[in-house]
Amino acid sequence: MSPSSETAHGKRLVIVESPAKAKTIKGYLGPGYIVEASVGHIRDLPGTAAEVPDEYTGEVRRLGVDVDHDFAPIYVVNPDKKSQVTKLKSLLKESDELFLATDEDREGEAIAWHLQEVLKPKVPVHRMVFHEITKDAIQEAVRNPRHLNKRLVDAQETRRILDRLYGYEVSPVLWKKVMPKLSAGRVQSVATRLVVERERERIAFTSASYWDLVGTFATGRTAADAANPESFGARLVTVDGKRVATGRDFGTDGRLKNAANTLHLDEQAARTLAAALEQTAFSVRSVESKPYRRSPYAPFRTTTLQQEASRKLGFGAKRTMQVAQKLYENGFITYMRTDSTTLSETAVVAARAQVTQLYGADYLPSAPRTYASKVKNAQEAHEAIRPSGDRFRTPAETGLAGDDFRLYELIWMRTVASQMKDAVGQSVTVKVGGRSADGRDAEFSASGKIITFHGFLKAYVEGADDPNAELDDRERRLPQVAEGDPLAAERLTPEGHATKPPARYTEASLVKELEDREIGRPSTYASIIDTIINRKYVFKKGTALVPSFLSFAVVNLLEKHFGRLVDYDFTAKMEDDLDRIAAGQAESVPWLKRFYFGEGEADGSAAAGAGNGDGDHLGGLKELVTDLGAIDAREISSFPIGDGIVLRVGRFGPYVTRPAAVEGEPEQRADVPDELPPDELTVELAEELFAKPSGERELGTDPISGNPLVAKAGRYGPYVTEVLPEGTPKTGKNAVKPRTASLFKSMDLDTVTLEDALRLLSLPRVVGTDPEGNEITAQNGRYGPYLKRGTDSRSLTSEDQLLSITLDEALAIYAQPKQRGRAAAAAPLKELGNDPVSEKPVVVKDGRFGPYVTDGETNATLRKDDEVETITPERAFELLAEKRARGPVKKAAKKAPAKKTATAAKKTTATKTAATKTAAAKKTAAKKTTAAKTTAAKKTAAKTAAKKSATAENTSEES
């Protein structure tokens, strides 16, 4: 029965999350439906303590969770959603039914529940779910709604509370022991640890060199065609039956793992062997042929889509999800947050129809293919990511462009290929042998692959994280030879190799690692990676994720003092527990008690009651964060480099230090660039940093203040500053800050003089007064040197003018008309070819905020690891694509001016009335002002106390 049957002529309010989704769905419903967006979550745990209602105090106010009363959460309507809630309530008053049409996953169910709790509807409420936004799917969802799934809501709430407790309790420890405003999170911290551990492996890695031979062997026959070449290449594999060492035979210490059974060739040995084999008569020793078969890849789920979009399109995980969200909301694909690889019967029929239509019946298997999910506790949506509808639109039929087109095409190809036949062929291994002039037996090996039927490879070939990996559709043809056939060595080339440290994670490979370890939920990986980059724990070098020195200190502290919280198995077990709660097999409150208070640790009764098995992996978080006496802040932020040099992570960034050469002197220090990859910080590089000007060069004494002036090399460039006397207060109301000024670009730290310093510290400088008595000053600002007279500013052409410009010269500049608009465009710094999306020429330009790439429509600033000289066209196209995906920056709406409705007659009347009310108004205003000040003072005190706990939310990742 239709839910609307009793109110066939009434209005029905449908609430979704986003305006884009609302717009699409509105087109599929009739005029009796009002479709409105909640614009995400309307209610959540308080972002700051100031948002907590006044009746809550103490720990409840700080955490937003009442841990002493069954972990009851304190929910508040988000300040920026209050107007939208008011609008929804108004629309609900005019409606006869309410349909909650948020996403079908755990998060969507929670949004729907919060909407119901806040709106308090007095009309029938229906939960409307769908996994694709098509006309049929939406109308089917209206006809067959369900009730809210409270189990899913409870599961989401448990995760939210858990992440709040983790972030709000552990983050303050990092503030006290490492640096202010840092954050910790249940999955964020573990992901950071993975990246740090990989860098540790790279630092500890010792490269080994090894050599081998590559031979080109001729059959002596003229090639009949490309399928039967006359020569082929093979690599040396054994000498006198002993296997020749390759990269996998060496450990991370650079030594052979099994030296007794492996031959390690160096350059001299390889060249000697090559010379000894020059006159050798080679022959085919064996030919081994095996059938080759490759089955199609499963349709996309969230993580595999992110990985393939990274490999094939150069998209980051966040960008992939942004584009996928847009495709979903506009009705092009099914829901994009899913662990499932299952296709519905409708989708299978649509895919098989397109296989026949595009590739022919020969490529269609006799029965539909099914794929079992490999993800433990697979949940969220119940179907793979695929094109929407019962007939798949080809990419050309969609009308999409740019990133939207490219991602849709990827999804479409993968889905169609999943219902095609296997690729089949033959793989062949040929062994070639001969005896050298000095009597040694050498054997070479060559592998080939011939695909006789491409099957699904006609439609789709999966990418690889390793750029050197061979893709599935690559063929290697060998000549048709038989055992005993003679061969002639055309060339024998010695080749040198070196083992490489393990590759850093990319976004794609980190997503795969997290999923393989069953850490966190796949739907959150994009936001996790975005968080650790934004928190400066990780930065990108090309596509590689590089940990900062700061992340080393954070992970060091967490490993030593909160080991279980960043333990991979513990985090995976915690995920299992949360999934059991979602399945109704465990209760959330006993589990949270065990996690936070460690209750039931002696007999495990609380954990057992919660259905958590033995529960040994749970403990008391509260006790862990209470006893911080054992944490040595200096120790956890110090890392030995060698030769007595130590890297330390300070409050203002990383630096290297070592004891002074002369006893009694201060230790030697040098700043380390923030963007330096940790594995590149060697003793030699540290010595170079020490050799740079230390910045403690004393220039002399200020004749006025009597304070010494010094030149320093700061993290943001060289500068001069005064040294204040000992005992000068540095904090509090009476704090005194030393005068500081950056060096001009034309100045050098080694040659700056006392006179230069005094002149720099004199800025801003009063140039003089104009005839009207207005003061003119010369100042150095964010966009360069300039003159200022009242509100009128004029740019100067060089920094030197700040110290030399005269009043007459300044007046002459002000006598000129002020230039409006921009100066003539500067020539581009580099040309990079046409953008594949806009098809317009891309160039590098120098802008106000530094160099940027542009195609004339979109501008994207170069990142800190991008250089004008080395940036490639592909990198420029990636930056532009990321900028397009983010969309335009929204500007704050300006307040409309007050309407002038009064006529001249009304103004006259108002003037008379105002005259009689002036005295009374003044008294009233005085009273209101006093009252306002008193209230403001109380609010200020409350806000000050609130800010400290608010920082936890702002600096914590809660997933």
Side-chain angles (χ1 to χ4, degrees):
M1 178 184 291
S2 167
S4 308
S5 58
E6 294 180 12
T7 56
H9 303 291
K11 287 184 180 179
R12 303 162 195 87
L13 175 61
V14 179
I15 302 179
V16 298
E17 298 97 320
S18 74
K21 189 174 174 183
K23 182 180 178 182
T24 307
I25 290 175
K26 188 175 178 62
Y28 296 140
L29 297 174
Y33 291 87
I34 303 168
V35 186
E36 186 57 54
S38 67
V39 196
H41 276 278
I42 61 164
R43 193 172 75 153
D44 198 359
L45 297 177
T48 66
E51 294 176 17
V52 180
D54 292 339
E55 64 262 30
Y56 298 102
T57 58
E59 285 292 276
V60 182
R61 192 172 190 83
R62 180 178 72 87
L63 296 172
V65 176
D66 191 344
V67 296
D68 295 320
H69 293 86
D70 290 344
F71 295 85
I74 311 302
Y75 288 122
V76 295
V77 175
N78 301 343
D80 59 338
K81 298 294 173 63
K82 288 183 178 179
S83 61
Q84 191 65 15
V85 169
T86 301
K87 181 179 180 180
L88 292 173
K89 285 182 176 179
S90 175
L91 292 171
L92 184 58
K93 286 180 181 178
E94 302 169 4
S95 303
D96 301 298
E97 286 181 279
L98 173 63
F99 287 83
L100 300 173
T102 50
D103 291 340
E104 60 175 329
D105 59 10
R106 213 162 22 215
E107 204 69 23
E109 204 73 14
I111 293 174
W113 178 74
H114 282 295
L115 282 165
Q116 182 171 286
E117 292 292 300
V118 172
L119 298 180
K120 294 181 171 47
K122 297 178 181 178
V123 297
V125 180
H126 312 286
R127 178 72 173 104
M128 175 178 160
V129 292
F130 43 86
H131 65 271
E132 61 180 344
I133 302 178
T134 61
K135 186 173 183 178
D136 289 344
I138 296 304
Q139 293 184 348
E140 176 68 18
V142 170
R143 287 193 297 270
N144 297 287
R146 62 167 172 78
H147 296 294
L148 269 170
N149 187 334
K150 195 60 171 64
R151 188 181 293 168
L152 280 181
V153 175
D154 290 343
Q156 189 274 345
E157 184 173 78
T158 303
R159 286 172 184 271
R160 188 75 182 95
I161 293 170
L162 169 66
D163 292 333
R164 169 58 65 99
L165 296 175
Y166 192 124
Y168 271 43
E169 294 289 19
V170 180
S171 295
V173 179
L174 301 182
W175 307 343
K176 294 173 185 175
K177 300 297 182 177
V178 182
M179 188 184 293
K181 298 185 178 180
L182 296 180
S183 71
R186 179 170 56 91
V187 181
Q188 166 200 321
S189 297
V190 175
T192 303
R193 184 189 174 201
L194 280 170
V195 180
V196 167
E197 283 201 332
R198 179 59 55 87
E199 197 72 10
R200 287 172 178 165
E201 292 171 10
R202 291 174 63 87
I203 292 170
F205 183 82
T206 301
S207 181
S209 65
Y210 61 96
W211 286 69
D212 59 14
L213 299 180
V214 174
T216 302
F217 298 96
T219 61
R221 301 189 299 265
T222 302
D225 53 45
N228 188 20
E230 60 182 312
S231 63
F232 64 99
R235 190 172 293 276
L236 180 69
V237 289
T238 65
V239 175
D240 287 336
K242 205 171 189 180
R243 192 166 57 81
V244 175
T246 62
R248 67 172 67 93
D249 293 309
F250 294 89
T252 57
D253 59 357
R255 297 178 181 178
L256 277 175
K257 299 175 184 175
N258 187 359
N261 299 315
T262 313
L263 177 64
H264 182 193
L265 293 178
D266 59 17
E267 181 178 5
Q268 181 60 43
R271 295 192 182 281
T272 300
L273 180 60
L277 290 169
E278 282 182 357
Q279 304 303 319
T280 298
F282 291 93
S283 63
V284 177
R285 289 188 173 172
S286 67
V287 178
E288 185 180 1
S289 180
K290 294 180 179 179
Y292 164 84
R293 179 174 291 273
R294 183 73 173 87
S295 297
Y297 323 103
F300 282 132
R301 60 182 190 273
T302 302
T303 53
T304 53
L305 176 63
Q306 291 170 1
Q307 291 166 47
E308 274 293 87
S310 174
R311 297 165 185 149
K312 288 182 175 290
L313 308 180
F315 290 3
K318 180 181 178 183
R319 184 163 150 222
T320 298
M321 297 310 290
Q322 286 174 334
V323 178
Q325 178 92 28
K326 186 177 175 185
L327 289 173
Y328 165 68
E329 291 180 345
N330 286 284
F332 288 102
I333 64 171
T334 53
Y335 192 55
M336 66 287 156
R337 280 187 279 274
T338 174
D339 296 339
S340 176
T341 53
T342 302
L343 289 178
S344 66
E345 186 178 338
T346 300
V348 169
V349 171
R352 288 173 63 84
Q354 284 206 326
V355 171
T356 305
Q357 177 188 346
L358 298 174
Y359 300 100
D362 290 343
Y363 285 83
L364 186 71
S366 57
R369 290 185 179 274
T370 57
Y371 297 89
S373 177
K374 295 180 181 179
V375 179
K376 189 176 180 181
N377 297 320
Q379 47 91 40
E380 313 291 5
H382 303 296
E383 190 174 1
I385 304 169
R386 61 165 178 87
S388 60
D390 54 9
R391 177 195 171 276
F392 295 165
R393 285 167 283 188
T394 65
E397 292 173 327
T398 60
L400 295 169
D403 292 348
D404 297 349
F405 177 90
R406 296 167 71 201
L407 193 64
Y408 178 85
E409 182 181 45
L410 195 70
I411 295 167
W412 174 80
M413 290 191 300
R414 178 89 165 213
T415 308
V416 172
S418 73
Q419 292 301 314
M420 294 175 72
K421 281 185 176 178
D422 292 351
V424 295
Q426 291 288 322
S427 60
V428 182
T429 302
V430 176
K431 295 288 178 67
V432 176
R435 192 165 291 277
S436 66
D438 56 8
R440 286 182 288 176
D441 181 80
E443 188 169 272
F444 293 75
S445 179
S447 296
K449 182 176 75 176
I450 301 170
I451 300 174
T452 56
F453 178 72
H454 279 76
F456 76 95
L457 294 175
K458 279 278 189 183
Y460 188 85
V461 181
E462 189 171 71
D465 292 321
D466 181 359
N468 299 316
E470 188 174 83
L471 300 182
D472 287 334
D473 65 339
R474 198 70 50 83
E475 288 189 314
R476 299 182 308 280
R477 291 186 176 271
L478 297 178
Q480 295 175 10
V481 294
E483 187 175 329
D485 284 356
L487 299 171
E490 293 181 340
R491 285 186 304 277
L492 291 170
T493 308
E495 282 192 358
H497 311 274
T499 56
K500 295 180 179 179
R504 291 188 178 100
Y505 287 108
T506 62
E507 289 197 29
S509 60
L510 182 58
V511 164
K512 186 175 187 305
E513 184 72 15
L514 288 167
E515 186 174 41
D516 288 347
R517 290 179 179 269
E518 299 171 358
I519 292 169
R521 295 308 322 168
S523 59
T524 65
Y525 292 159
S527 62
I528 294 298
I529 293 173
D530 189 51
T531 297
I532 64 177
I533 291 174
N534 290 338
R535 299 294 187 203
K536 309 296 184 188
Y537 290 150
V538 170
F539 62 91
K540 294 184 79 171
K541 187 177 182 182
T543 59
L545 297 175
V546 185
S548 63
F549 290 106
L550 171 63
S551 68
F552 270 69
V554 169
V555 169
N556 199 24
L557 184 151
L558 293 175
E559 286 177 334
K560 289 182 178 179
H561 300 280
F562 302 95
R564 280 184 303 175
L565 296 185
V566 288
D567 179 78
Y568 303 129
D569 291 338
F570 169 79
T571 309
K573 285 178 182 177
M574 197 185 299
E575 203 63 48
D576 288 343
D577 289 347
L578 291 168
D579 284 331
R580 281 199 288 273
I581 291 170
Q585 300 166 2
E587 297 174 23
S588 62
V589 172
W591 189 88
L592 286 169
K593 282 183 179 179
R594 184 65 185 278
F595 173 77
Y596 191 69
F597 293 115
E599 290 184 6
E601 197 159 7
D603 58 8
S605 58
N612 294 323
D614 58 15
D616 287 344
H617 57 282
L618 293 178
L621 174 65
K622 185 63 178 175
E623 185 178 351
L624 278 175
V625 299
T626 302
D627 183 14
L628 304 181
I631 301 177
D632 185 332
R634 188 177 180 86
E635 180 190 350
I636 60 104
S637 295
S638 300
F639 305 92
I641 304 299
D643 291 355
I645 300 171
V646 176
L647 174 111
R648 289 207 172 98
V649 179
R651 299 228 154 192
F652 303 104
Y655 63 94
V656 284
T657 180
R658 65 179 170 192
V662 179
E663 190 174 348
E665 293 287 322
E667 65 180 11
Q668 192 174 3
R669 293 176 53 156
D671 287 331
V672 174
D674 289 324
E675 66 278 6
L676 179 72
D679 73 336
E680 295 179 16
L681 180 58
T682 60
V683 171
E684 293 74 25
L685 180 56
E687 291 289 358
E688 290 180 23
L689 295 173
F690 284 132
K692 289 182 179 180
S694 66
E696 290 296 335
R697 189 166 70 86
E698 190 166 338
L699 303 176
T701 302
D702 185 333
I704 298 176
S705 68
N707 293 331
L709 301 183
V710 296
K712 289 190 171 188
R715 187 165 295 280
Y716 305 107
Y719 65 100
V720 293
T721 186
E722 64 178 334
V723 179
L724 298 176
E726 286 189 24
T728 303
K730 295 181 179 179
T731 58
K733 294 181 180 179
N734 300 318
V736 179
K737 290 185 177 180
R739 292 175 298 149
T740 301
S742 296
L743 266 60
F744 289 169
K745 293 176 182 177
S746 59
M747 296 177 177
D748 187 84
L749 189 63
D750 294 326
T751 59
V752 67
T753 65
L754 175 62
E755 290 71 25
D756 292 331
L758 291 170
R759 294 165 75 194
L760 289 170
L761 293 171
S762 71
L763 296 174
R765 179 174 70 92
V766 177
V767 177
T769 305
D770 72 2
E772 287 75 35
N774 298 310
E775 188 176 78
I776 300 175
T777 57
Q779 304 188 30
N780 210 356
R782 181 178 180 184
Y783 307 120
Y786 66 99
L787 292 172
K788 185 173 180 65
R789 181 178 65 180
T791 59
D792 191 358
S793 301
R794 302 296 176 93
S795 296
L796 296 174
T797 56
S798 73
E799 289 177 315
D800 292 331
Q801 284 183 287
L802 290 169
L803 303 174
S804 62
I805 193 166
T806 64
L807 178 59
D808 290 340
E809 289 170 338
L811 291 173
I813 291 174
Y814 275 106
Q816 301 294 323
K818 189 167 186 176
Q819 291 186 355
R820 301 288 179 186
R822 299 179 179 177
L829 303 177
K830 192 174 185 179
E831 297 180 357
L832 298 168
N834 289 347
D835 182 83
V837 176
S838 68
E839 299 182 349
K840 294 187 177 182
V842 176
V843 296
V844 184
K845 289 190 172 184
D846 195 11
R848 175 182 286 180
F849 305 108
Y852 65 98
V853 292
T854 180
D855 63 352
E857 295 179 349
T858 305
N859 299 340
T861 304
L862 267 60
R863 307 287 169 77
K864 62 183 178 182
D865 52 335
D866 296 320
E867 298 290 342
V868 175
E869 296 77 14
T870 58
I871 190 169
T872 63
E874 291 74 20
R875 175 59 177 159
F877 303 156
E878 179 187 359
L879 290 171
L880 290 172
E882 285 181 357
K883 184 65 180 288
R884 291 190 199 101
R886 289 197 298 270
V889 178
K890 293 182 180 179
K891 295 183 178 179
K894 293 183 178 179
K895 289 185 178 180
K899 293 182 180 179
K900 296 181 180 180
T901 55
T903 62
K906 286 182 180 177
K907 284 182 181 178
T908 306
T909 307
T911 304
K912 290 180 181 178
T913 306
T916 62
K917 292 182 178 179
T918 303
K922 283 183 178 178
K923 288 181 181 179
T924 305
K927 289 179 180 179
K928 285 182 178 178
T929 303
T930 305
K933 284 182 177 178
T934 305
T935 305
K938 289 179 179 178
K939 285 184 177 179
T940 303
K943 285 183 179 178
T944 303
K947 279 182 180 177
K948 291 183 180 179
S949 59
T951 313
E953 174 75 5
N954 297 330
T955 58
S956 298
E957 175 276 321
E958 297 196 303
S959 61

